[in-house]
Amino acid sequence: MITLKNTTKTYELNKNNSVTAIEDITLHIEEGELVVLKGVSGSGKSTVLSLIAALTKPSSGEVLVDEQRVSKLPDNFAADYRQKTIGFIFQKYNLIPTISVQDNILLPLVPTNPDEKLAREKLDRVLEQFNISDKKETIVRNLSGGEQQRVAIARALINDPKVIIADEPTANLDEQLSQDFIAILQGLKDEGKTIVVATHDPLFFDLDIVDRVIEMKRGRLL
């Protein structure tokens, strides 16, 4: 499902200063796998996620997802690819706090201008799946942290993506909410989703649902 081949990403800070975030990485992730990228802050985990999601392009090498070479996509095609294939769960949720739960969740559908009935069916499905149907009219800033995370996950899944990416998903959660998130991952894995989680939370390292834990250090796979 996902392949990074001899992939390097260097960020040019200015003419005389650059930072290599990852260097010569080759990685294969099978369809339906749940893979955890482990490492301290700055090890390159988030860069790998950004490359898979085509949020950034590699300096060299290539990235393929579902047989599509996403590392070469022009920006408009990359946006279409993300909308159809990737569900991204951000560490800080990236919700719009001043609008309702349902409006936040429906945002990824806006570029496709979907039929209103179909959009409502998709909305109702994810609201029910994550037990937030009673919150759909609530303004996001009035939700608890756990409720906001469920909204963020529902938004990531509204388009039924094949690949779920989560960047430090439990960083802002207490132990119980972290366990709730893991239960959600179990359900997504049961549905056959391919899941990549970047984290330094030890809670993930011995889970039965995790197929592989891959450690990163200084931009390389160990």
Side-chain angles (χ1 to χ4, degrees):
M1 174 60 78
I2 300 169
T3 295
L4 278 73
K5 186 176 180 181
N6 302 120
T7 305
T8 295
K9 177 61 182 179
T10 299
Y11 293 97
E12 302 293 339
L13 304 181
N14 54 52
K15 272 188 178 180
N16 302 312
N17 197 4
S18 63
V19 172
T20 298
I22 63 168
E23 186 171 1
D24 197 28
I25 281 181
T26 294
L27 173 65
H28 304 281
I29 298 174
E30 299 294 329
E31 185 173 2
E33 269 197 302
L34 197 168
V35 172
V36 170
L37 299 179
K38 169 187 177 181
V40 299
S41 179
S43 59
K45 307 185 305 297
S46 294
T47 298
V48 171
L49 298 188
S50 294
L51 289 166
I52 294 171
L55 290 167
T56 189
K57 292 180 172 62
S59 304
S60 62
E62 59 182 6
V63 182
L64 295 95
V65 179
D66 198 22
E67 301 182 349
Q68 185 173 14
R69 186 171 280 102
V70 302
S71 49
K72 301 294 185 183
L73 289 175
D75 289 344
N76 57 329
F77 288 96
D80 184 62
Y81 151 76
R82 281 191 297 273
Q83 197 265 340
K84 292 177 178 176
T85 307
I86 301 292
F88 210 127
I89 302 168
F90 297 92
Q91 177 180 341
K92 296 182 179 178
Y93 312 141
N94 285 14
L95 300 171
I96 300 176
T98 55
I99 64 176
S100 69
V101 165
Q102 63 179 355
D103 288 343
N104 267 279
I105 294 172
L106 287 168
L107 277 175
L109 297 181
V110 170
T112 64
N113 193 26
D115 173 77
E116 185 174 349
K117 181 182 177 183
L118 178 61
R120 289 294 162 183
E121 286 174 356
K122 289 185 174 185
L123 173 66
D124 290 342
R125 174 178 56 83
V126 293
L127 286 170
E128 184 176 348
Q129 183 177 2
F130 297 107
N131 196 28
I132 47 175
S133 296
D134 61 331
K135 302 289 184 181
K136 70 178 182 179
E137 303 286 353
T138 303
I139 300 301
V140 160
R141 67 184 173 201
N142 297 326
L143 298 176
S144 68
E147 289 168 339
Q148 287 190 34
Q149 188 188 52
R150 287 191 217 170
V151 174
I153 297 169
R155 181 188 60 189
L157 296 178
I158 187 75
N159 281 321
D160 194 27
K162 293 181 178 181
V163 177
I164 309 297
I165 291 173
D167 192 5
E168 299 287 0
T170 58
N172 300 311
L173 304 182
D174 61 26
E175 184 175 352
Q176 182 55 57
L177 290 175
S178 295
Q179 293 289 352
D180 292 345
F181 177 73
I182 288 167
I184 289 170
L185 286 186
Q186 173 74 73
L188 296 173
K189 183 174 171 62
D190 290 345
E191 292 176 16
K193 304 293 186 186
T194 303
I195 305 168
V196 186
V197 179
T199 185
H200 59 266
D201 187 343
L203 189 63
F204 285 87
F205 302 154
D206 296 311
L207 292 176
D208 291 340
I209 63 171
V210 173
D211 296 294
R212 285 186 289 157
V213 176
I214 300 172
E215 188 169 3
M216 297 190 67
K217 186 176 182 179
R218 296 177 183 173
R220 292 182 175 271
L221 303 182
L222 298 183

